[in-house]
Amino acid sequence: MLLSLTLLGFFLSAILLYFNAKIYKPAIFLGLFFILFSIYSFIYYVSMYSKSVFLVSIFFLNFTFLTYLTGPMLYWYIRSVLTDNPRLGRSDLIHIFPMLVFLIASLPYMVTPYSYKVQIATKIAEDSINFGTFNAELIIFPVVVTFLSRPVLVLVYTLWSTGLVIRYLIQKGQSSVLCRQQFMSKWLIVLLALLFILVSCHILALTEFFVREDFNIFYTLNVLQILSSMGLVGLLISPFFFPNILYGLPQVPGGILRFNFKETGTDSSTEKEGKYSLNFESVYLFSIGQKADSCMKELKPYLKTDFNLFKFSVLIDIPVHHLAFYFREEKKQSFSGYRNGFRVDHAKKLIREGNAEELTLEAIGLLSGFSTRNTFFTAFKRAEGISPGVFAAQFSA
């Protein structure tokens, strides 16, 4: 079961990073968190349950130092969500210090010959290793520190991140976060609660192991094992119950909002300035709509076949996840539907002006920004209820 859940964690991480890293930057931290957590789970599985000499010789202690970044990734994700700012500063370098310390401490073992690692792996697989002796020979820290420092560090970051969320919830009435994204608060609470249960039970199990020096603790069904399993399952499947987490918690900017559109590849720009009191969500969403519509009408970026949400975000200088939230929650339509509406209107204008007599309907579609004849006809019929040909027939001589 642990192996299956670990593989699920790697799969979830790949989805988060591949599909969402460009849309919402904090998803990078969340994806890396699940990767590192899965690495820790896999090493734990290999060491305690696999009984594979080959796997133990490869993964035991060789990659463990990476798991010390699990806590920092969680903290950076929580912080970036609540502040809508994924950037890291110089002060964040301190968070990688534990990883560097353990890397240095593990170097004696990492540089030993593979044959020696196989000997150690054989003893681990047979549950006959004396961890105290092994640790004294090849690792600087005592065995208790080596095994407990990782989950304890994750627990510290979990509590730290929980404090950030609690402070955010207390100050919510004074903050300028879009209030309709309450699902993010619920997701963060669920994430931290499940992680707290899992890590706490794991620490207690390891503590009991070192007190009793009995490997059977990890192979018998008990309350800690049950709670740990529930926490791990919940942690790995919880993102599937919160598909909207990738929209983040966009902060409402204050002050003067400048409409500055700059055409790619040119020096010309159109700038409008409006003074708004952006203390309320509705005003900010209205300003996004005004800025988006003005850009589409004045610059007509939709006429380019490769125009997409990312390019629109750069053009109007609004974060892409703010736009994604706007179209989903306010416009109740996809960006492609919004964009195609302008393209259809442009095609209708060309037809009314008599261009259908000189150009094919496919050419009119291409001039309107559609990449193929089929997408043009489908979008046109969806918007107007009739095909471009029927519409053009109304204006033929």
Side-chain angles (χ1 to χ4, degrees), residues 33-94:
F33 165 77
F34 278 111
I35 285 179
L36 294 169
F37 198 90
S38 299
I39 290 175
Y40 180 88
S41 299
F42 184 71
I43 294 175
Y44 181 73
Y45 163 79
V46 167
S47 304
M48 296 296 179
Y49 302 107
S50 72
K51 304 301 180 182
S52 170
V53 174
F54 173 74
L55 289 178
V56 174
S57 64
I58 295 297
F59 291 98
F60 181 71
L61 288 183
N62 287 323
F63 301 96
T64 303
F65 71 96
L66 292 174
T67 61
Y68 281 84
L69 289 176
T70 307
M73 290 301 168
L74 172 70
Y75 167 72
W76 288 333
Y77 170 68
I78 299 292
R79 187 184 66 181
S80 62
V81 166
L82 297 179
T83 63
D84 194 29
N85 181 12
R87 296 184 181 88
L88 299 179
R90 292 183 178 179
S91 59
D92 288 308
L93 292 175
I94 193 173

Side-chain angles (χ1 to χ4, degrees), residues 374-392:
N374 288 337
T375 55
F376 170 47
F377 274 62
T378 300
F380 195 100
K381 192 169 185 178
R382 182 180 292 119
E384 300 299 319
I386 58 176
S387 66
V390 174
F391 183 83

Side-chain angles (χ1 to χ4, degrees), residues 166-310:
I166 292 175
R167 185 174 64 179
Y168 159 74
L169 294 175
I170 293 176
Q171 298 176 348
K172 187 175 181 180
Q174 304 173 1
S175 68
S176 55
V177 176
L178 296 180
C179 62
R180 260 188 274 174
Q181 290 194 310
Q182 295 179 357
F183 61 84
M184 280 300 298
S185 300
K186 296 178 181 178
W187 151 247
L188 295 180
I189 292 173
V190 169
L191 171 65
L192 293 171
L194 290 172
L195 189 60
F196 176 79
I197 293 173
L198 172 59
V199 176
S200 298
C201 292
H202 185 54
I203 291 174
L204 291 175
L206 286 175
T207 302
E208 187 175 357
F209 162 69
F210 285 114
V211 171
R212 297 169 55 180
E213 296 184 354
D214 184 5
F215 275 101
N216 291 325
I217 293 174
F218 300 108
Y219 306 128
T220 57
L221 189 64
N222 52 56
V223 175
L224 292 179
Q225 293 285 59
I226 294 175
L227 290 177
S228 295
S229 299
M230 293 175 59
L232 181 58
V233 172
L235 183 67
L236 293 178
I237 68 174
S238 57
F240 296 102
F241 293 93
F242 293 89
N244 297 331
I245 60 175
L246 300 172
Y247 287 99
L249 283 169
Q251 304 286 327
V252 180
I256 296 176
L257 178 67
R258 284 184 169 79
F259 295 359
N260 194 336
F261 316 130
K262 189 170 184 179
E263 189 114 33
T264 305
T266 67
D267 295 328
S268 61
S269 64
T270 302
E271 182 173 295
K272 293 183 178 181
E273 183 176 300
K275 293 183 178 180
Y276 295 93
S277 176
L278 299 182
N279 296 323
F280 301 96
E281 171 191 352
S282 59
V283 179
Y284 179 49
L285 293 176
F286 176 78
S287 70
I288 291 179
Q290 291 289 97
K291 193 172 184 180
D293 291 343
S294 296
C295 177
M296 296 291 272
K297 292 175 182 178
E298 295 178 21
L299 297 183
K300 297 181 174 58
Y302 54 85
L303 296 180
K304 299 179 179 179
T305 57
D306 61 346
F307 180 63
N308 55 34
L309 184 64
F310 304 111

